Amino acid sequence: GAGVSQSPSNKVTEKGKDVELRCDPISGHTALYWYRQSLGQGLEFLIYFQGNSAPDKSGLPSDRFSAERTGGSVSTLTIQRTQQEDSAVYLCASSPWTGESSPLHFGNGTRLTVT
Amino acid sequence: QKEVEQNSGPLSVPEGAIASLNCTYSDRGSQSFFWYRQYSGKSPELIMFIYSNGDKEDGRFTAQLNKASQYVSLLIRDSQPSDSATYLCAVIRYGQGNLIFGKGTKLSVKP
């Protein structure tokens, strides 16, 4: 079946511009996660959606970052007034459930470059 | 202290040897532990998870968990060059839904 789909795969933007990154999770997966990975670094948690519950936004690095999930499916991560330090690979993952054995299925990521 | 710590490596082992990857975590409330493999330029993929003390085996992979020592490891038997990748340790804390990842250990298996 189809995996997690992210678009665009690459995005180059100028400092100060806004960007939107999209994630289509695996059908039926109730949990959706956004992480980012800078060069040579581990995965940094950003935000997590589970069903109809309020999202866990504790990982968002600043108020320039926001995300929404419409209809419990597609999610959009928005970065306003981008800065060079926002350059990273943004990874979306979905999971069929949460709890003690919740495998995350990752998309291929969006590589964001802020010039 | 970082929540999840791993030796960044690189860890180099000869083909056919056992590779041992280690991870420590700081929150005693952590309840589930995951090992992901990430090839260069690719997304992480799940290898295995463990949530009970002891060993869990899956093919050439064995995960070991010691909650008292807050330590989890991954053993790869009969290492192959195709195992060369970065291995990420991740934990879920009790009552949380998100995974906290370590920075990963880069493994190189030499033919």
Side-chain angles (χ1 to χ4, degrees):
Chain A
V4 177
S5 178
Q6 292 188 245
S7 61
S9 55
N10 280 283
K11 176 72 175 177
V12 180
T13 190
E14 292 181 353
K15 177 181 173 182
K17 295 286 180 70
D18 297 351
V19 296
E20 284 190 353
L21 312 179
R22 177 188 168 100
C23 173
D24 278 284
I26 294 172
S27 178
H29 281 193
T30 58
L32 186 148
Y33 307 76
W34 284 98
Y35 287 83
R36 73 175 176 182
Q37 188 172 34
S38 302
L39 188 64
Q41 299 297 310
L43 275 71
E44 176 188 5
F45 167 71
L46 296 177
I47 187 169
Y48 150 64
F49 299 87
Q50 166 57 15
N52 296 319
S53 301
D56 177 355
K57 303 180 182 180
S58 60
L60 295 178
S62 77
D63 58 8
R64 296 187 295 107
F65 289 73
S66 63
E68 62 177 20
R69 188 179 186 192
T70 54
S73 181
V74 172
S75 178
T76 302
L77 177 69
T78 301
I79 309 173
Q80 296 178 309
R81 304 181 303 280
T82 51
Q83 303 295 311
Q84 289 187 329
E85 61 263 29
D86 299 334
S87 296
V89 176
Y90 288 80
L91 290 162
C92 175
S94 68
S95 173
W97 70 87
T98 59
E100 62 184 14
S101 57
S102 303
L104 268 61
H105 302 263
F106 284 89
N108 289 327
T110 293
R111 182 176 297 277
L112 175 66
T113 302
V114 182
T115 61
Chain B
Q1 180 184 12
K2 294 189 173 70
E3 287 206 51
V4 180
E5 295 210 50
Q6 299 180 255
N7 188 323
S8 61
L11 174 65
S12 184
V13 300
E15 183 174 358
I18 296 176
S20 178
L21 303 157
N22 305 315
C23 172
T24 58
Y25 58 95
S26 61
D27 188 343
R28 287 195 174 274
S30 300
Q31 62 176 20
S32 302
F33 307 86
F34 301 79
W35 283 99
Y36 281 80
R37 177 176 61 199
Q38 187 174 26
Y39 291 112
S40 181
K42 302 294 185 182
S43 296
E45 53 183 349
L46 181 69
I47 298 175
M48 41 189 322
F49 64 87
I50 186 169
Y51 47 84
S52 299
N53 274 328
D55 296 359
K56 180 180 180 181
E57 185 174 322
D58 184 0
R60 294 187 297 113
F61 299 95
T62 298
Q64 299 175 316
L65 175 60
N66 183 326
K67 289 188 178 181
S69 300
Q70 296 176 238
Y71 176 92
V72 58
S73 65
L74 179 71
L75 301 178
I76 307 175
R77 288 182 299 282
D78 188 23
S79 296
Q80 302 296 309
S82 58
D83 294 327
S84 298
T86 296
Y87 289 79
L88 301 167
C89 173
V91 307
I92 291 182
R93 291 172 292 175
Y94 181 79
Q96 303 289 313
N98 59 298
L99 270 65
I100 307 296
F101 284 85
K103 290 191 174 182
T105 298
K106 186 171 184 177
L107 173 66
S108 178
V109 181
K110 304 294 187 184

